[in-house]
Amino acid sequence: RMGGKHTKSAKPAARPAATAAPPRAAPARPCILHEDGVSSLCFLSGTDVCSGGPDGAVVLYSFEQGRIRAKGEGHANGVAAVARAGDAVVSASRDHTLRVWSIQDGAMALRTQLSGHKAAVAAVAADGTRVLSGSRDGCVKLWDAQAGTATGEGTVSRNVVTSVRWIPGTATALQASEDKMLRVWDTRTMEAVQVFPVDKYFHTCCDARDSTMFFTGSNGFGGQGCYATLWDARQLRRAHDYRGHAEGLTGCFIAPDRRLCTAARDGTVRLWDETGAAGDVVPVPSGGSIASLAFHPETSLIAAGLGEGHIIMMSLGTTLALR
């Protein structure tokens, strides 16, 4: 009471009605390319990749768009390897054949089938229209992808081929095998002109910087084996071993800046330098295993195919980072 007058107490201001927080968007589910894992990968252009899987399919996938653009079917067994050959992709299958697929405007069409191996075809590499394949029959074959014909072959007893790579700027190719030996083939004569000493574990993958330095990844489990090796081709000896993976390696490459990269079934991608020093380690976010690896030297992009059936993409800059 003031000055003989009664005053009404002010009502508290009304609180604004509570608004519910917007629901969080569910994380996007990865696009499954192959139900039983991505056993092989190659880059086409940009973020477009081609993959092969145990289901026998060859898939054209756009990472940028997050969708499958095309699928090629027809192999009677799993696809173990894929490689780009000019405007086409070549797939190598456990059904003993290779298939050449035309890629145009996001569509795939079978161009031709390459037959001649007597066992599963485990590896393929392409240099333009020249295609090199390796099989569990101990044979390495040279093909003309345009004509669809074999132009040469070389066979070594017990040479169960696991990986082949063209050696840049030469007519030679590097080949790894379950017989634990690394070979260099002269594709003009289809003769093995270099054979490296027997290793302790067999090589699952290989790559060549040039005719003087090669890189391999080895099989293994539980930390036994599971190493990569840099080879001095001039002296036919190992220059460095790289250890750190806990399971067998499934991919390896030499980057243009001479850094080395490996992937393994332990679900990690690792960087190394030539001296043997370890660099970045990138684990798969889902914790799954890595079944295949591909590198695009022009864009420095890395694609890893997972046992869960999808892929992840990384960029190789100053460091290795997930995209």
Side-chain angles (χ1 to χ4, degrees):
R1 181 174 180 175
M2 297 179 63
K5 293 184 179 180
H6 292 280
T7 58
K8 294 182 180 179
S9 59
K11 292 182 179 180
R15 294 181 179 179
T19 57
R24 291 184 179 181
R29 297 184 62 184
C31 181
I32 301 298
L33 280 61
H34 306 274
E35 290 293 338
D36 296 322
V38 181
S39 56
S40 55
L41 277 172
C42 69
F43 271 98
L44 300 179
S45 61
T47 61
D48 284 359
V49 297
C50 197
S51 67
D55 56 4
V58 179
V59 171
L60 174 59
Y61 174 72
S62 170
F63 186 83
E64 191 82 17
Q65 299 173 10
R67 68 181 181 91
I68 293 173
R69 300 182 64 191
K71 180 181 286 190
E73 297 177 304
H75 279 299
N77 210 324
V79 174
V82 290
R84 181 179 179 179
D87 63 349
V89 167
V90 184
S91 56
S93 172
R94 292 183 174 85
D95 67 5
H96 305 186
T97 71
L98 298 100
R99 288 184 167 225
V100 182
W101 307 86
S102 295
I103 307 290
Q104 189 173 9
D105 298 328
M108 294 180 66
L110 179 64
R111 182 180 295 176
T112 188
Q113 178 171 295
L114 308 177
S115 301
H117 281 294
K118 299 175 182 177
V121 188
V124 64
D127 180 12
T129 61
R130 292 188 306 165
V131 173
L132 194 70
S133 63
S135 167
R136 296 188 65 85
D137 60 9
C139 182
V140 175
K141 282 182 177 288
L142 184 66
W143 309 84
D144 182 332
Q146 197 70 34
T149 57
T151 58
E153 67 175 61
T155 302
V156 175
S157 177
R158 300 183 182 179
N159 180 31
V160 180
V161 180
T162 57
S163 180
V164 291
R165 288 290 184 274
W166 286 100
I167 298 173
T170 75
T172 57
L174 185 64
Q175 178 246 306
S177 170
E178 286 188 14
D179 68 2
K180 305 177 185 177
M181 286 189 281
L182 191 63
R183 294 178 174 84
V184 174
W185 292 84
D186 186 334
T187 59
R188 295 165 296 191
T189 60
M190 289 311 295
E191 294 180 350
V193 293
Q194 284 183 302
V195 181
F196 286 72
V198 177
D199 207 347
K200 188 174 181 181
Y201 292 82
F202 76 78
H203 307 134
T204 55
C205 53
C206 64
D207 194 23
R209 186 187 73 196
D210 50 34
S211 59
T212 67
M213 200 66 71
F214 305 146
F215 191 44
T216 60
S218 297
N219 191 32
F221 59 91
Q224 300 297 312
C226 316
Y227 54 81
T229 302
L230 191 66
W231 299 87
D232 184 338
R234 289 166 295 194
Q235 299 186 37
L236 292 181
R237 66 175 183 85
R238 60 200 321 126
H240 288 288
D241 284 338
Y242 305 83
R243 299 181 184 274
H245 284 294
E247 298 297 336
L249 275 66
T250 52
C252 64
F253 67 82
I254 305 174
D257 63 6
R258 300 165 72 106
R259 282 183 294 176
L260 312 169
C261 187
T262 56
R265 293 195 304 269
D266 62 9
T268 63
V269 177
R270 292 175 177 263
L271 275 183
W272 318 83
D273 67 26
E274 287 188 358
T275 66
D280 297 334
V281 179
V282 177
V284 173
S286 62
S289 65
I290 298 176
S292 54
L293 189 72
F295 177 60
H296 196 310
E298 296 176 6
T299 61
S300 294
L301 291 178
I302 300 169
L306 307 188
E308 301 164 340
H310 62 279
I311 71 167
I312 58 173
M313 197 81 74
M314 286 163 274
S315 57
L316 179 59
T318 306
T319 60
L320 187 61
L322 283 168
R323 283 174 62 94

